[in-house]
Amino acid sequence: MKKILFLFVLLFSFLFTFSQNISVKLIDKNNKNPIPYATIKTGEFSGVISNEEGYFTINLDKNELETISISCLGYQNITVSIQNIKASNFIIELDEAINQLNEVYISNKKHNADSIIAKVRAKVIDNYKDNLFIFNIFRRNTKYANFKNLDFEIEKASQVRKKNLEDANTNLSALSKKITESNVKHFTEIKGKIYSKNYKNSKTVVEKASKLIDHKNDFSIENIQEKAQSIVLKYLDTTKTYKLKTGFFKIEDSLSIKDENLKDEQKNEFNLSELNKETRALLNHTQFYSNSFLDKIINANLYKYTFDDITYNDGGLTYKISFEPKKSKSKYTGTLFISDKNFAITQIAYKYFNNRHGDKFNLKLLLGVKYMENVSEGLIIFEQNANYIYQPKYLKQTTGSYFYVNRDLKFIENSPAKNKVSFSFKIEGDARNKEELLFTGNFELTNEDYAIIKQPEVAPYTILKKFEKSIWQNENIIEPLQEMKSFNSED
């Protein structure tokens, strides 16, 4: 009887714990389309953002949370009770703010985009503070790869039996087919704090982290080359070692199939120095220090501006201003949303303008390598904190690149005979990297406090083979998209 009672209590506790999170979908009342990037407040300065599919998840905090407030660009603000959310089958409809806008805005004044941007620039020092802040963050990184062309082939092989050569090329063709048909996606999620002293100095502390990876389809360029090399080595004399050369460069002094089997297992740890550098780069994208991304966007010498419209956002009028390059060195086009009340940028959407691009190099003839960053787009949403200073609430940044690698590899036997195997390796495709950063809280920091904070050298993370909802249970996160929820490398 005691055992039964214990199991009942355990089950009840389990259900109670997991009932604290509710997932909700936001839709437009008229067209029923999902509404992304709405701000959901669960407290005065706490909450989450709806994802690209309109979903968000909140923790009811042991039933103490009774209502939530929702605001979104172009829609009327709404406060709704948890009870009503449950009664409406966890769907919330938002009304467009057209009628409300007409009521509060009656003017024949012609607005000038350049004068508005000038006021934005003049008010930056009042509206934003970039230094000495602690940010509670949730970061999600999604990596994609699309391989368009792969070609592996052993071209010349002295002292290798014809049957082995045919088998090796058959296996290389199978590897190529598997890679081109694969849908490569990797997800990384991190919860922690970033202590920001200024745009050059920060410290990152990880509280929890996970990686959702399909090891069977781990197809980085380096990994693909290693898999192809392993196939070639399998059909060579496994009692010998080999030098590996590509072009003029010697890569390995002693490479063998035995070495491939004895590789150390990778530690499931982040290098905090690298992670801090990456996170600071994302944070810097939301700041207005001299010559920063946003500082350039509001520089009238670099960009030209067009007044598009007036809309409604979080209880006030908002100017909608588009921008595009004025000079060739300017790269972006997009839309700024600027508060009529204090000329603060509350939201910005951006992307590369026409044929503009980022880093690019073409060394096809010399080294068989070509690379071009051809996608850079993003969204930044700001929110006022307790001191009426605007701080980032959400950032999404997607970068993409084209890559081409054509290498002629040569295995040279470490023996007096120096038998050789020539192997061609050609790969071409597109890579895409999506970064999302949700700021769940911010607090001012002193130089003394910053000095005390110690950043560890490494931070552990959990490896997952399939999506597990429970790992982020009761946390303020960005609700995963369906592509992540359906991820399962065990299939």
Side-chain angles (χ1 to χ4, degrees):
M1 183 68 184
K2 288 183 178 179
K3 287 184 178 180
I4 294 174
L5 182 61
F6 173 76
L7 290 173
F8 177 79
V9 172
L10 187 64
L11 178 62
F12 180 82
S13 299
F14 177 84
L15 292 173
F16 182 80
T17 299
F18 279 77
S19 68
Q20 299 314 298
N21 276 19
I22 61 170
S23 293
V24 186
K25 186 175 184 179
L26 281 182
I27 62 172
D28 185 294
K29 188 173 184 178
N30 294 322
N31 57 32
K32 309 305 179 185
N33 290 333
I35 300 175
Y37 314 123
T39 298
I40 293 87
K41 291 186 177 181
T42 55
E44 189 176 7
F45 300 104
S46 63
V48 293
I49 292 281
S50 60
N51 71 9
E52 295 174 38
E53 297 166 344
Y55 287 95
F56 66 90
T57 294
I58 55 173
N59 177 248
L60 299 187
D61 194 22
K62 297 183 179 179
N63 294 326
E64 291 177 6
L65 184 64
E66 295 181 355
T67 62
I68 60 172
S69 298
I70 302 172
S71 62
C72 186
L73 187 69
Y75 290 89
Q76 295 181 26
N77 290 6
I78 184 174
T79 298
V80 58
S81 70
I82 302 301
Q83 184 177 357
N84 284 343
I85 292 174
K86 293 177 180 178
S88 61
N89 200 26
F90 302 97
I91 295 174
I92 298 175
E93 296 182 344
L94 296 188
D95 283 307
E96 288 188 72
I98 296 174
N99 293 335
Q100 196 166 355
L101 185 63
N102 290 337
E103 290 175 9
V104 297
Y105 178 68
I106 303 173
S107 174
N108 294 321
K109 180 181 177 181
K110 185 176 180 180
H111 296 277
N112 181 277
D114 289 330
S115 66
I116 292 173
I117 295 298
K119 291 175 182 177
V120 168
R121 196 166 188 89
K123 296 281 288 183
V124 162
I125 194 169
D126 297 324
N127 288 327
Y128 305 91
K129 183 177 183 293
D130 294 337
N131 298 336
L132 291 171
F133 265 90
I134 307 170
F135 297 97
N136 293 334
I137 61 167
F138 174 80
R139 177 182 169 188
R140 178 178 292 136
N141 172 239
T142 309
K143 291 185 177 182
Y144 308 84
N146 176 26
F147 297 96
K148 299 177 179 177
N149 183 19
L150 285 93
D151 185 15
F152 313 129
E153 186 179 5
I154 299 176
E155 297 172 334
K156 296 178 182 179
S158 56
Q159 304 300 316
V160 178
R161 291 185 346 185
K162 183 178 179 181
K163 178 68 168 60
N164 285 357
L165 194 62
E166 290 174 351
D167 289 345
N169 279 326
T170 298
N171 287 339
L172 288 169
S173 295
L175 175 63
S176 176
K177 185 174 184 293
K178 180 181 179 182
I179 293 170
T180 53
E181 291 178 353
S182 65
N183 185 16
V184 182
K185 295 175 188 172
H186 290 167
F187 304 90
T188 301
E189 296 182 308
I190 300 167
K191 178 194 173 188
K193 289 181 170 62
I194 181 166
Y195 298 81
S196 177
K197 183 177 182 180
N198 50 48
Y199 74 94
K200 291 182 178 179
N201 299 285
S202 64
K203 298 174 185 178
T204 297
V205 175
V206 173
E207 298 169 0
K208 189 176 182 180
S210 65
K211 281 193 175 188
L212 191 55
I213 295 175
D214 184 354
H215 285 288
K216 294 179 292 186
N217 292 327
D218 185 9
F219 295 138
S220 64
I221 292 177
E222 293 78 9
N223 187 271
I224 291 172
Q225 182 172 317
E226 286 180 6
K227 288 179 184 292
Q229 286 172 196
S230 296
I231 290 173
V232 176
L233 283 167
K234 194 180 296 183
Y235 293 95
L236 302 182
D237 188 341
T238 58
T239 65
K240 294 185 173 66
T241 60
Y242 299 84
K243 291 184 178 70
L244 178 61
K245 289 188 177 181
T246 173
F248 301 106
F249 305 103
K250 182 171 67 175
I251 300 175
E252 296 282 354
D253 284 322
S254 182
L255 183 70
S256 74
I257 186 61
K258 295 176 183 178
D259 295 332
E260 297 298 310
N261 294 330
L262 294 174
K263 283 186 176 180
D264 292 334
E265 291 187 11
Q266 181 182 356
K267 292 183 178 179
N268 298 337
E269 294 177 337
F270 292 112
N271 179 319
L272 256 296
S273 178
E274 290 299 317
L275 186 66
N276 179 59
K277 184 178 179 181
E278 293 172 6
T279 310
R280 186 172 69 240
L282 292 172
L283 179 61
N284 285 353
H285 222 57
T286 70
Q287 298 182 334
F288 289 86
Y289 59 87
S290 178
N291 214 34
S292 69
F293 167 74
L294 288 179
D295 183 63
K296 291 177 182 177
I297 293 297
I298 59 172
N299 185 337
N301 293 322
L302 300 177
Y303 287 91
K304 54 184 177 182
Y305 309 96
T306 303
F307 185 91
D308 293 335
D309 201 358
I310 289 181
T311 185
Y312 184 82
N313 187 33
D314 197 20
L317 296 180
T318 293
Y319 301 122
K320 180 181 177 183
I321 293 179
S322 59
F323 62 91
E324 63 180 53
K326 182 181 286 186
K327 296 186 176 181
S328 59
K329 65 178 181 179
S330 306
K331 297 181 179 181
Y332 291 94
T333 184
T335 306
L336 294 163
F337 296 92
I338 299 165
S339 170
D340 172 68
K341 182 180 178 181
N342 49 25
F343 294 95
I345 295 174
T346 58
Q347 191 166 315
I348 172 175
Y350 63 90
K351 64 180 181 179
Y352 276 147
F353 177 74
N354 291 344
N355 295 320
R356 306 292 163 90
H357 56 78
D359 292 339
K360 176 182 178 181
F361 60 84
N362 187 353
L363 300 174
K364 262 189 174 183
L365 296 178
L366 183 62
L367 297 176
V369 177
K370 183 178 180 181
Y371 171 87
M372 181 174 72
E373 185 183 284
N374 51 18
V375 176
S376 180
E377 59 187 35
L379 172 73
I380 305 170
I381 299 174
F382 293 93
E383 186 178 55
Q384 275 187 318
N385 66 13
N387 297 318
Y388 303 100
I389 297 295
Y390 283 86
Q391 291 289 356
K393 178 64 180 179
Y394 173 78
L395 173 145
K396 182 179 75 168
Q397 178 177 282
T398 302
T399 56
S401 59
Y402 163 85
F403 58 85
Y404 172 92
V405 178
N406 189 353
R407 293 174 180 166
D408 288 323
L409 306 176
K410 188 177 291 184
F411 295 85
I412 304 171
E413 190 179 286
N414 284 325
S415 70
K418 293 187 176 180
N419 294 315
K420 300 178 180 66
V421 175
S422 295
F423 166 58
S424 67
F425 172 90
K426 183 167 71 175
I427 181 169
E428 181 181 22
D430 296 300
R432 188 158 52 96
N433 186 35
K434 181 171 70 174
E435 291 276 12
E436 292 181 277
L437 201 57
L438 175 67
F439 298 83
T440 58
N442 61 80
F443 314 91
E444 291 195 14
L445 181 68
T446 66
N447 281 308
E448 293 74 20
D449 290 337
Y450 180 83
I452 293 171
I453 299 299
K454 301 297 181 184
Q455 177 179 282
E457 292 184 4
V458 297
Y461 57 82
T462 302
I463 289 284
L464 303 173
K465 293 183 179 180
K466 64 179 181 179
F467 175 73
E468 294 182 14
K469 185 176 182 179
S470 61
I471 193 167
W472 292 103
Q473 197 76 21
N474 304 329
E475 304 280 6
N476 285 329
I477 69 167
I478 306 161
E479 178 70 8
L481 300 179
Q482 187 57 43
E483 65 174 2
M484 186 173 180
K485 292 178 180 178
S486 61
F487 185 96
N488 188 347
S489 64
E490 295 178 344
D491 292 341

